[in-house]
Amino acid sequence: MSHLRVENLKVSYGSRVAIQDATFTVEQGELCVLVGPSGAGKSTILRAIAGYAPIERGDIYVGDTHVNTLPPQDRDIAMVFQQRALYPHMTVWENWAFPLEAVQRPKDEIRRRVAEIAEMLQMTPFLDRYPRQLSGGQQQRVAIGRALIRRPKAFLLDEPLSGLDAKLRIETRSYIKRLHGDLGVTMVYVTHDQIEAQAIGHKIVVLNNNLVQQVGTPDEIYNKPVNMFVAEFLGSPPINLIECTAATEGDRLRLSHGPHSWTLDPARSARIRERLKDGEVVLGVRPEDIRLHREPGEGRIPAEVYVTEPQGHEMIVDLSFEKLILRAKEDRERGLGESLKLNERVYLDFALPRCHVFDRVSRVCLS
Ligand code: ADP
């Protein structure tokens, strides 16, 4: 049985629906990331799990226990908020000992557990410091330590890296992932940052407009997005979207954009045709699925180099194609990127089996 279950959860504040209908499970020891734009309902789900949001409908289970009506302190769940809410007048040691003293644990057990957490979070040299004497990243570790020391059944983190600078974000992110691996604790982690979500999550729940859009592994979400929102939200640079008209040609579907067209294989064409309402579709092509050539050829479309942008070992090439700008991502050593000149004519082909076809109105993925 899943360790944490959220079933058909609905939360409203007055007439404002914060989460409409959320269902997902988190397995024992799994790190589940809730990701989506601001206002999507991510924090509301965490607060509902922890016991701080008014549940209008639906159920939350921790293990076998139905926790909807349990007060927060009886749920055995720890939450780390965006604001690192530490006691400023207490040292690191005291900040950590406090939750255990509050439940009257014996003094030697408190000493042992504080020492363990300090070791694990590499904070032993800082135990006597006050929060103001620590860096942002160290303060965040104290906040995490304070939640962990209670050994909760599940651990909830709400944008724990916001407020840290870019380098520290990446360091703390890998730190949390490592910590999770060492402890095997069930974690639910909220972020609006899709790169962070893909870097850290075993399972990703994508939210938008107060609804769960898709639940899956990072690879599933990236490679098999259920709709255009998910396809656009994950990936950097974002997926290219080309409006097309679909027409049947024998057992194949031909997608046309102006004078240009792409023909899909019969199996895929049949699958799409079953779900196709009218012929108005959108072809989604990831930047890494565009190949650049200097010569024209079968299935290649002409485009002009608009801008090139080196990014480490990769080159992002912006290409003007009809009225669109398409973004391609190339390896700097193997691709053409390095040698391209502005406004140069190139020819593109797409790794069609990896592309997605969406319905233009419902935005659902058809392939
Ligand atoms: P996210 O974490 O994805 O940014 P939230 O869960 O914080 O989103 O918010 C979802 C929606 O619910 C937003 O429209 C937000 O304004 C609203 N909301 C959240 N908390 C409250 C509250 N306490 N009172 C009224 N509206 C709220």
Side-chain angles (χ1 to χ4, degrees):
M1 176 184 295
S2 301
H3 195 225
L4 182 65
R5 279 187 291 153
V6 174
E7 293 178 356
N8 306 112
L9 177 69
K10 179 173 184 189
V11 175
S12 305
Y13 294 98
S15 60
R16 173 174 281 176
V17 177
I19 192 76
Q20 178 71 49
D21 183 9
T23 297
F24 61 93
T25 57
V26 189
E27 305 307 316
Q28 170 77 50
E30 194 170 44
L31 200 169
C32 171
V33 180
L34 309 184
V35 68
S38 176
K42 308 178 295 292
S43 301
T44 299
I45 296 179
L46 271 206
R47 284 200 295 270
I49 297 171
Y52 299 108
I55 298 179
E56 189 175 328
R57 196 183 59 220
D59 299 288
I60 300 177
Y61 296 88
V62 179
D64 298 334
T65 315
H66 185 246
V67 299
N68 281 42
T69 52
L70 275 188
Q73 65 274 19
D74 295 341
R75 294 189 184 199
D76 206 359
I77 284 172
M79 185 152 169
V80 177
F81 294 92
Q82 274 174 34
Q83 316 80 338
R84 296 178 280 280
L86 303 175
Y87 300 116
H89 58 285
M90 290 187 187
T91 62
V92 173
W93 201 98
E94 289 161 345
N95 263 284
W96 283 346
F98 187 74
L100 300 180
E101 283 165 354
V103 291
Q104 279 144 25
R105 303 309 304 166
K107 287 219 155 25
D108 56 342
E109 181 189 330
I110 294 177
R111 265 194 297 275
R112 184 166 42 77
R113 277 166 70 171
V114 169
E116 265 171 30
I117 291 281
E119 185 73 9
M120 191 162 62
L121 295 171
Q122 295 165 15
M123 287 292 289
T124 309
F126 306 106
L127 281 171
D128 293 331
R129 292 211 191 166
Y130 290 91
R132 65 175 182 280
Q133 299 170 312
L134 299 171
S135 71
Q138 289 166 337
Q139 288 179 23
Q140 189 56 284
R141 280 190 243 166
V142 181
I144 291 170
R146 211 173 60 189
L148 278 178
I149 203 153
R150 288 168 38 199
R151 298 185 182 155
K153 282 213 186 83
F155 191 43
L156 313 178
L157 296 122
D158 191 356
E159 301 260 7
L161 308 183
S162 65
L164 303 184
D165 66 38
K167 183 164 173 281
L168 209 51
R169 278 181 83 93
I170 293 175
E171 262 173 44
T172 314
R173 172 174 101 193
S174 51
Y175 196 78
I176 291 175
K177 189 166 184 177
R178 180 65 214 245
L179 189 69
H180 172 266
D182 289 348
L183 294 173
V185 60
T186 306
M187 272 193 193
V188 186
Y189 182 109
V190 162
T191 180
H192 64 275
D193 179 343
Q194 52 97 7
I195 295 178
E196 199 169 296
Q198 289 192 83
I200 205 169
H202 299 144
K203 176 183 277 174
I204 298 183
V205 179
V206 185
L207 290 131
N208 188 38
N209 284 338
N210 314 101
L211 278 171
V212 172
Q213 305 288 317
Q214 189 167 359
V215 181
T217 64
D219 281 350
E220 281 163 0
I221 300 272
Y222 188 78
N223 294 318
K224 293 185 178 156
V226 295
N227 60 32
M228 249 156 83
F229 172 81
V230 175
E232 274 192 284
F233 191 72
L234 284 102
S236 172
I239 192 165
N240 297 290
L241 297 171
I242 307 171
E243 292 192 349
C244 292
T245 306
T248 300
E249 271 191 12
D251 57 357
R252 290 164 185 264
L253 211 54
R254 181 194 279 271
L255 310 183
S256 310
H257 180 90
H260 312 287
S261 66
W262 299 270
T263 304
L264 305 179
D265 66 64
R268 193 131 185 257
S269 301
R271 266 203 317 274
I272 295 175
R273 246 195 325 257
E274 265 175 31
R275 306 177 62 194
L276 195 61
K277 290 214 182 64
D278 50 29
E280 302 303 293
V281 297
V282 175
L283 178 65
V285 190
R286 296 255 180 227
E288 62 272 27
D289 295 328
I290 298 183
R291 288 176 298 244
L292 275 64
H293 307 271
R294 282 226 150 79
E295 289 79 37
E298 165 106 32
R300 294 181 186 174
I301 55 166
E304 272 84 47
V305 176
Y306 185 70
V307 147
T308 56
E309 190 183 303
Q311 283 191 359
H313 71 282
E314 285 172 335
M315 182 73 87
I316 310 297
V317 187
D318 287 14
L319 300 142
S320 53
F321 163 68
E322 296 288 311
K323 292 199 172 93
L324 303 172
I325 295 287
L326 302 180
R327 292 214 164 79
K329 185 159 42 177
E330 285 213 308
D331 187 288
R332 267 174 94 168
E333 280 182 15
R334 275 176 284 156
L336 290 186
E338 201 76 41
S339 63
L340 293 172
K341 306 209 167 36
L342 295 192
N343 300 323
E344 182 179 345
R345 165 65 60 95
V346 288
Y347 299 89
L348 317 180
D349 67 357
F350 301 159
L352 269 187
R354 293 187 43 80
C355 297
H356 307 285
V357 179
F358 304 97
D359 184 284
R360 211 184 295 178
V361 177
S362 69
R363 300 168 74 86
V364 167
C365 188
L366 301 169
S367 54

